[in-house]
Amino acid sequence: MLRSRIVGTGSAVPKKVVTNHDLEGLVDTTDAWITSRTGISERRIAVNEPCSELASRAGKAALKAADVSPKDLDLIVVGTVTPEMTFPSTACLVQAHLGVRPGATAFDVSAACSGFVYALDVADKFVKAGAHKKALVIGVDQFSRIVDWKDRSTCVLFGDGAGAIVLSAEKGARGVLSCHTHSDGRHWEMLYANGPHQSSHFDHGHHKSPYLRMHGNETFKIAVRTMGSAITEAMEANGLKGEDIDLLIPHQANLRIINAIKDRLKLPDEKLYVNLDRYGNTSAGSIPLALDEAVREGRLKENDTVLFVAFGGGFTWASAVARW
Ligand code: UT7
């Protein structure tokens, strides 16, 4: 059976570190509040480094790790909701930056914090269908551009970052085993960013704000419930029990959400990858950035089972299981 195997990973974060203490000078907050409520200590903020550049750096690192030439790529799918331009897509800009062969297929997927797993699902289906042989899948976001830096309830949560993987069409047992994607647009007002090019449909009230707005508490509860059910769905689809999972890489939004999931699954700490203390919530960047760090730390070995689970605005949620 043809599968898409993850043959390389890469990531990129901006140089500028903004600590919780730095934010104490910006809004009415404390390091103690942010750490205890979220688990975040610091985040990276991009300065003069647009989304496509971060994405390209992550993509280049993944290609290097995979030992795949950009000339051999035939598909680029980027999950992002913070492209620097309305069009072209970030994927087309990455294609140009990396010198990927003209004529390849490149497009973006919009699913907020679930963007990477959605992009992986799409690319996996293209590869499995035999349409493409080598795919670059990137998750990237720069929420520093869309958060309201006067709103303490959101600006402390997010950071900028990107992660990437290279998929290769291969026969065998290793590779992506399942992807499940879901959405429920009824709750869109819980978490949204209207953006600078507002629709006249929303030209009144609080929807006029171009910034990210979130009902944190409600989103938190739905995220715990939904990510839990997404994990159950992924495990059932593959006949897996908790002990069969070697590494769980959840969307890095809040340590309390991650711990609730860990307790539900009775997973020991070593089977969970967490790096939100250093990067905050990087939206679509979060899972592939964590995956790349996990790989570089030697946390995955051949034939291990890794599970990704994401949740974000829309609402959207998604899971993927891969045999390493
Ligand atoms: O990636 C997409 C998915 N995103 C998520 O899943 C995020 C989900 N939500 C969360 O992570 C949490 O809801 C937050 C971290 C955003 C907030 O934590 P919470 O425990 O739900 O706090 P809360 O919103 O209920 O606020 C508690 C208090 C409020 O004060 P009062 O009304 O109790 O006096 C807030 O005004 O904390 C206050 N507060 C802050 N205080 C200091 C809110 N933000 C801050 C802050 N510093 N930065």
Side-chain angles (χ1 to χ4, degrees):
M1 181 188 174
L2 200 58
R3 286 193 203 283
S4 39
R5 186 162 80 81
I6 302 172
V7 292
T9 66
S11 60
V13 289
K15 275 196 198 71
K16 187 177 177 185
V17 176
V18 174
T19 65
N20 292 349
H21 291 292
D22 294 332
L23 292 178
E24 286 174 351
L26 200 67
V27 285
D28 181 15
T29 193
T30 59
D31 172 52
W33 190 94
I34 303 170
T35 312
S36 64
R37 295 292 184 134
T38 71
I40 300 164
S41 300
E42 57 187 45
R43 71 286 294 139
R44 301 296 180 98
I45 301 296
V47 182
N48 296 327
E49 190 174 27
C51 209
S52 67
E53 277 182 36
L54 266 187
S56 299
R57 274 211 280 140
K60 194 173 176 182
L63 287 168
K64 188 169 178 229
D67 198 19
V68 168
S69 159
K71 306 261 175 282
D72 294 330
L73 277 183
D74 44 18
L75 175 65
I76 306 170
V77 189
V78 177
T80 188
V81 286
T82 49
E84 66 253 43
M85 289 195 260
T86 302
F87 67 86
S89 66
T90 304
C92 283
L93 297 175
V94 168
Q95 179 183 18
H97 287 324
L98 296 182
V100 173
R101 149 185 102 67
T105 306
F107 59 93
D108 290 359
V109 168
S110 169
C113 299
S114 308
F116 172 74
V117 185
Y118 263 67
L120 172 60
D121 184 28
V122 173
D124 177 52
K125 288 189 165 90
F126 275 47
V127 169
K128 270 189 188 146
H132 297 83
K133 288 191 171 57
K134 295 259 186 299
L136 181 62
V137 183
I138 301 175
V140 58
D141 267 313
Q142 284 191 355
F143 271 31
S144 64
R145 283 180 32 227
I146 60 166
V147 294
D148 178 353
W149 285 102
K150 292 192 177 83
D151 175 11
R152 68 175 183 173
S153 70
T154 53
C155 74
V156 303
L157 305 173
F158 297 96
D160 303 334
I165 59 173
V166 177
L167 296 177
S168 176
E170 289 184 14
K171 288 192 172 136
R174 295 171 68 196
V176 176
L177 303 182
S178 70
C179 292
H180 292 91
T181 54
H182 300 287
S183 62
D184 184 350
R186 290 175 303 170
H187 305 299
W188 71 269
E189 283 177 289
M190 291 289 141
L191 175 54
Y192 69 92
N194 202 8
H197 314 292
Q198 298 166 37
S199 156
S200 56
H201 182 55
F202 297 127
D203 255 359
H204 55 81
H206 65 286
H207 295 141
K208 198 157 186 176
S209 163
Y211 300 116
L212 180 150
R213 296 289 177 225
M214 177 167 72
H215 295 268
N217 210 270
E218 291 85 345
T219 302
F220 184 100
K221 286 178 206 146
I222 298 174
V224 172
R225 197 173 63 237
T226 309
M227 285 166 89
S229 67
I231 290 172
T232 306
E233 180 182 39
M235 286 168 53
E236 283 177 4
N238 294 285
L240 298 173
K241 298 199 183 70
E243 61 264 30
D244 300 323
I245 296 168
D246 296 297
L247 195 63
L248 173 67
I249 303 187
H251 171 48
Q252 311 278 313
N254 187 313
L255 191 59
R256 289 186 292 139
I257 297 179
I258 295 175
N259 282 338
I261 292 168
K262 182 184 82 166
D263 294 345
R264 193 175 152 154
L265 281 175
K266 298 190 178 62
L267 274 188
D269 283 345
E270 64 270 20
K271 291 198 170 188
L272 192 68
Y273 197 82
V274 178
N275 64 0
L276 97 162
D277 51 322
R278 286 175 288 127
Y279 303 119
N281 180 347
T282 55
S283 181
S286 110
I287 289 177
L289 171 58
L291 172 66
D292 183 49
E293 292 204 336
V295 168
R296 282 164 209 284
E297 287 169 23
R299 297 278 295 270
L300 279 165
K301 54 184 192 312
E302 198 170 317
N303 288 318
D304 272 359
T305 301
V306 57
L307 197 160
F308 308 130
V309 63
F311 176 84
F315 284 130
T316 56
W317 61 100
S319 71
V321 176
R323 184 163 299 123
W324 202 251

